[in-house]
Amino acid sequence: MSTGVLLLAHGPLADAMLATARAVLGTLPLESCALGLTLGETSEQFARRAAQAARSLERGDGVLVLTDLYGATPANVYDRLRNEGVSLRRVSGLSLPMLLRVYNYAELPLDELSRTAAAGGRNGVIEGDA
Amino acid sequence: MLEQRIVVSNRLGLHARAAAKLSHLLGGFRAHATLAFGKRSVNAKSILGLMTLAAPLGSELVLTLDGKDELEALAATVDLFARRFDEGE
């Protein structure tokens, strides 16, 4: 599978998350792109950048969109990406466990990758010791 | 099925980059792989699973491998631990 991974978040968060995953894993098994909503940028401007990134990540297996906060602009622009002719799934609540799990299961098709991302996020929250 | 005791000998323990290397290495083999530390046993091909072991320097782990290429997987894993995950300390 060559699913694309598009990280959409506030400020430098998406960039930092991707850079950290790269530092942990060495090379990323899926083509990935991080976009941060900057202060003063309109949602239309951000949506255009996100749409362009989604198109460039599409290799026929779709693009997994990971966003930091459900209901916030980086997550909300997802609705405007759906007219781009790209197969998409969105998972919100971006975290390092979620992202590492996505790359750990890079061979899964988009549907399953989306589910495994959500499970990674949920299971990455551990109170006290595991 | 093979079972092998392995001691963590790199200073930082089974931290994120080490877990990434181990899961990546074992992901290249068909054999099922589990790693146990104390009472906790996880899928050794999963980075997040390995991270939950939170195994520091000196930890005694038990690696279990089951599959046709278990011997090769064991040799590669023992080598990775012996090389201290190429961390130099």
Side-chain angles (χ1 to χ4, degrees):
Chain A
M1 285 290 152
S2 55
T3 311
V5 179
L6 177 58
L7 279 68
L8 303 177
H10 292 84
L13 193 54
D15 259 335
M17 200 70 85
L18 196 55
T20 305
R22 202 172 269 129
V24 170
L25 300 174
T27 53
L28 301 179
L30 296 173
E31 198 173 338
S32 306
C33 175
L35 292 182
L37 174 70
T38 55
L39 209 64
E41 184 175 30
T42 67
S43 64
E44 288 76 17
Q45 288 167 334
F46 187 67
R48 272 197 295 278
R49 289 204 291 138
Q52 194 175 24
R55 283 195 303 271
S56 75
L57 286 169
E58 171 66 292
R59 293 285 181 276
D61 293 318
V63 174
L64 180 64
V65 180
L66 303 178
T67 75
D68 57 350
L69 184 64
Y70 187 79
T73 301
N76 293 344
V77 299
Y78 177 77
D79 289 331
R80 279 180 263 179
L81 302 182
R82 290 198 284 190
N83 304 320
E84 297 293 328
V86 179
S87 298
L88 297 168
R89 290 289 182 282
R90 176 187 60 185
V91 181
S92 299
L94 175 63
S95 65
L96 198 54
M98 176 187 290
L99 192 57
L100 293 179
R101 190 173 163 98
V102 165
Y103 294 128
N104 204 170
Y105 292 92
E107 74 287 356
L108 292 179
L110 182 59
D111 262 350
E112 290 175 50
L113 196 61
S114 172
R115 282 194 290 276
T116 205
R122 275 194 295 273
N123 298 338
V125 178
I126 292 165
E127 189 181 14
D129 291 329
Chain B
M1 192 173 81
L2 292 174
E3 207 176 86
Q4 172 79 42
R5 196 180 69 92
I6 297 181
V7 176
V8 177
S9 58
N10 61 314
R11 187 175 61 84
L12 296 175
L14 200 52
H15 64 123
R17 272 173 291 131
K21 283 180 185 173
L22 178 56
S23 63
H24 183 74
L25 175 81
L26 288 170
F29 294 95
R30 297 185 66 88
H32 288 282
T34 59
L35 196 63
F37 177 39
K39 288 179 188 162
R40 197 169 177 83
S41 178
V42 300
N43 173 5
K45 296 183 182 184
S46 158
I47 301 174
L48 296 186
L50 292 173
M51 296 303 306
T52 63
L53 294 180
L57 169 65
S59 304
E60 289 191 14
L61 310 176
V62 178
L63 175 70
T64 306
L65 294 162
D66 191 8
K68 278 186 178 170
D69 54 3
E70 58 192 27
L71 265 174
E72 292 90 334
L74 177 65
T77 306
V78 167
D79 184 52
L80 182 66
F81 274 83
R83 292 188 339 247
R84 298 189 173 92
F85 300 91
D86 300 320
E87 290 174 2
E89 58 178 354

